[in-house]
Amino acid sequence: MDKLLACTSCGLDETDSVVHFGSYILRCAACGEAIVATSFIVTLNSDHECSAFVDAGPGKRPPPEALIARGPLRLIATAISAAANDGTLIRLISDPTTD
């Protein structure tokens, strides 16, 4: 990963993507420190395939029962926004594409 996204707290350069209220946040996968944040709205037109889960914590893989939605981000954004609207952290995990 690009060292520009390295955590200033612990130095790790691995991130988790989370949605919190209306924000899209890249956080450190080790300590959870926010590295970059933007509005979730700027990501909505993406065809990027992902799975959205209730967050299990920095660097932890959420259990299958925490799944909220799966598919192209533009198609599951409403479900993600609804789940994140009360302050619940929603973890986005990229799904591998099959060609």
Side-chain angles (χ1 to χ4, degrees):
M1 180 175 283
D2 191 331
K3 293 294 182 190
L4 291 173
L5 293 179
C7 178
T8 57
S9 294
C10 71
L12 186 73
D13 65 348
E14 294 179 28
T15 59
D16 293 331
S17 299
V18 294
V19 177
H20 186 235
F21 290 109
S23 297
Y24 175 82
I25 304 162
L26 291 180
R27 70 172 182 207
C28 176
C31 71
E33 183 77 23
I35 298 171
V36 176
T38 189
S39 172
F40 183 55
I41 294 171
V42 302
T43 65
L44 298 184
N45 287 329
S46 172
D47 283 326
H48 183 77
E49 294 279 335
C50 67
S51 296
F53 295 87
V54 172
D55 185 41
K60 296 178 183 170
R61 195 97 176 147
E65 60 270 14
L67 180 68
I68 294 169
R70 177 176 282 134
L73 190 54
R74 66 181 173 78
L75 297 179
I76 64 171
T78 301
I80 294 167
S81 293
N85 195 37
D86 67 356
T88 301
L89 285 174
I90 306 303
R91 171 91 179 272
L92 303 179
I93 298 176
S94 294
D95 288 336
T97 57
T98 56
D99 294 327

